[in-house]
Amino acid sequence: MRIAELSQRTGVPIPTIKFYLREHLLPPGELTSPNQAQYGETHVHRLRLVRALVEVGGLSISATREVLTRMRAATNTLHSIGKAQFAIADPVEPHEDEAWHDAVRRVDELVAERGWQVRDSNPARASLAEALAYLTRLGHGDLFPLLRHYASAAELLAVSEVDVVLSRENVDSMSETLVTMSVLGDAMMSALRMMAQESDATRRFEEP
Amino acid sequence: MRIAELSQRTGVPIPTIKFYLREHLLPPGELTSPNQAQYGETHVHRLRLVRALVEVGGLSISATREVLTRMRAATNTLHSIGKAQFAIADPVEPHEDEAWHDAVRRVDELVAERGWQVRDSNPARASLAEALAYLTRLGHGDLFPLLRHYASAAELLAVSEVDVVLSRENVDSMSETLVTMSVLGDAMMSALRMMAQESDATRRFEEP
């Protein structure tokens, strides 16, 4: 198909597709003349994946490129498959105040308490610490008890999530599923929490 | 305090603080001479809130401004308090293909099944539909059963979350807590899911 049809199928404007091509987020089409290229189903799929990462996940262009590169490089080890997922986490340059050091300690304690096996290289450790540090900095330290609820929920969800990833027949598919589930799962949880909060608050305000 | 101390206290570089001042994310300091302003504790707090929204939540400058404006405008009604939270959700311009229409139907069904009271104006409905539409588009329709697990988790968490919001003594504090909990809670859940997934996968790979 030509670029116009690729655009129509995916809803992505032609200038955006051209931008992704220039940024190497999308492999080039097959040239049929100096000014015309043909695209296939792999382009449709890749374009949708890029859109999910950029639009739903809010990933930067460079982070998206890194995720895609690591997905292609995935081999048959757990660590290699996980690496693409690690690239989703936006690395933070922490402000290393007291709140930060306290937060890092809380993360270590949580991991130990739960008996979780989490590598030091997992960037989620730093992301979690950063969020916890902001709770302290903003004077919402009384939200810390929620952390245990969130961890229990994450632990329960992980069982079903890992089931799905392991059900995939090859490494490429496992890696893509893990990335998709991370990005779309975050968006789903965020939306569902907002909806559940509204619902719960509405119910309580209505009660006599 | 002068801007240098404000920068030191918060870890936010001076040029960034000046940018936030220009963008009205931070109220001006009190001028003590034509070139010098004094800042107080409210500036420290506001600056930390802005950083949490921008750095942790990934909000754009205009979305951050909208959240802050709505927080200030909050009055003593549930809907008014919730409005600041609604501004966190990045409005999506959906590609209205079959996957999208199917996703919107799934969201309506979920809300009905759960007996949730969620306004049509809650932007989380569209965010959730968009994420579900991408599952279909990317051929991961077998992840749909996870939606029920996510919804159950969100429902359980909402009870504790709304408790904390309602424990706040005034509307300003409720509104800020709700916004902070949304943004930092999303970051915490995302990080915890990634950690729990790694832990669960590691355990299973290690088993004989």
Side-chain angles (χ1 to χ4, degrees):
Chain A
M1 71 194 87
R2 294 197 189 164
I3 196 165
E5 191 185 336
L6 182 60
S7 167
Q8 211 185 357
R9 284 271 302 276
T10 58
V12 182
I14 293 178
T16 308
I17 297 178
K18 289 187 173 169
F19 171 68
Y20 292 158
L21 285 164
R22 280 198 306 277
E23 292 286 335
H24 303 292
L25 297 183
L26 206 58
E30 197 185 328
L31 281 183
T32 50
S33 81
N35 288 315
Q36 208 157 88
Q38 287 287 323
Y39 301 89
E41 288 306 317
T42 54
H43 290 91
V44 173
H45 187 81
R46 172 67 76 84
L47 194 48
R48 285 173 174 158
L49 180 59
V50 168
R51 282 305 259 195
L53 296 174
V54 173
E55 289 285 293
V56 182
L59 265 69
S60 67
I61 296 300
S62 63
T64 303
R65 194 188 298 114
E66 183 66 23
V67 169
L68 295 171
T69 304
R70 292 193 190 184
M71 273 176 54
R72 276 193 300 273
T75 60
N76 198 15
T77 68
L78 186 61
H79 186 54
S80 161
I81 295 170
K83 264 194 171 174
Q85 187 189 33
F86 284 4
I88 295 169
D90 207 14
V92 281
E93 192 62 62
H95 174 47
E96 299 187 3
D97 56 2
E98 206 182 313
W100 163 255
H101 290 292
D102 178 60
V104 170
R105 201 170 49 240
R106 277 180 196 272
V107 173
D108 289 342
E109 280 169 11
L110 177 81
V111 169
E113 248 178 59
R114 293 270 155 186
W116 283 356
Q117 301 187 48
V118 182
R119 284 175 187 247
D120 286 341
S121 60
N122 191 328
R125 284 175 172 271
S127 307
L128 180 58
E130 189 66 6
L132 294 176
Y134 271 108
L135 286 184
T136 303
R137 289 172 194 148
L138 290 169
H140 293 302
D142 62 340
L143 291 176
F144 279 130
L146 285 180
L147 180 60
R148 196 162 293 174
H149 296 285
Y150 290 151
S152 297
E155 203 172 280
L156 270 173
L157 293 173
V159 179
S160 315
E161 291 167 333
V162 173
D163 273 346
V164 173
V165 173
L166 295 182
S167 76
R168 295 295 188 255
E169 57 193 356
N170 59 51
V171 169
D172 285 351
S173 180
M174 283 186 192
S175 183
E176 194 200 299
T177 303
L178 186 59
V179 164
T180 308
M181 202 169 61
S182 278
V183 169
L184 298 182
D186 283 352
M188 286 158 67
M189 268 309 290
S190 172
L192 287 164
R193 282 178 54 231
M194 207 181 270
M195 291 163 72
Q197 285 165 7
E198 181 185 350
S199 179
D200 191 65
T202 304
R203 205 177 336 246
R204 296 206 218 176
F205 266 67
E206 274 180 357
E207 277 169 10
Chain B
M1 72 194 87
R2 294 198 191 162
I3 196 165
E5 191 185 336
L6 182 60
S7 166
Q8 211 184 359
R9 284 270 304 276
T10 57
V12 182
I14 293 178
T16 308
I17 297 177
K18 289 187 173 170
F19 172 67
Y20 292 158
L21 285 164
R22 279 198 305 277
E23 292 286 335
H24 304 291
L25 298 182
L26 207 58
E30 195 186 330
L31 281 182
T32 50
S33 81
N35 288 314
Q36 209 158 87
Q38 287 287 324
Y39 301 91
E41 290 306 317
T42 54
H43 289 92
V44 173
H45 187 81
R46 172 68 76 85
L47 193 48
R48 286 173 173 156
L49 180 59
V50 168
R51 282 305 258 195
L53 296 174
V54 172
E55 289 285 293
V56 181
L59 266 69
S60 67
I61 296 300
S62 64
T64 304
R65 194 188 298 115
E66 182 66 23
V67 169
L68 295 172
T69 303
R70 293 194 190 184
M71 273 175 54
R72 275 194 300 272
T75 59
N76 198 16
T77 69
L78 186 61
H79 187 54
S80 162
I81 294 170
K83 263 194 170 175
Q85 187 190 31
F86 284 3
I88 295 169
D90 208 14
V92 281
E93 192 63 62
H95 174 47
E96 298 188 4
D97 57 1
E98 206 181 314
W100 163 256
H101 290 292
D102 178 59
V104 170
R105 200 170 50 240
R106 277 179 197 272
V107 173
D108 289 342
E109 280 169 11
L110 178 81
V111 170
E113 248 178 60
R114 293 269 155 187
W116 282 356
Q117 301 188 47
V118 182
R119 284 174 186 247
D120 286 341
S121 61
N122 191 328
R125 284 175 172 270
S127 307
L128 179 59
E130 189 66 4
L132 293 176
Y134 270 108
L135 285 184
T136 303
R137 289 172 195 149
L138 291 168
H140 293 302
D142 63 340
L143 291 177
F144 280 130
L146 284 180
L147 181 60
R148 196 162 293 176
H149 296 284
Y150 290 151
S152 297
E155 202 173 279
L156 270 173
L157 294 174
V159 179
S160 314
E161 291 167 333
V162 173
D163 272 346
V164 173
V165 173
L166 294 182
S167 76
R168 295 295 188 255
E169 57 193 358
N170 59 50
V171 169
D172 284 351
S173 181
M174 283 187 191
S175 183
E176 194 200 298
T177 303
L178 186 59
V179 164
T180 308
M181 202 169 62
S182 278
V183 169
L184 298 181
D186 282 351
M188 286 158 68
M189 268 310 289
S190 172
L192 287 164
R193 281 179 54 230
M194 208 182 269
M195 292 163 71
Q197 285 165 7
E198 182 186 350
S199 179
D200 191 65
T202 304
R203 205 178 335 247
R204 296 206 218 176
F205 266 67
E206 274 181 356
E207 277 168 8

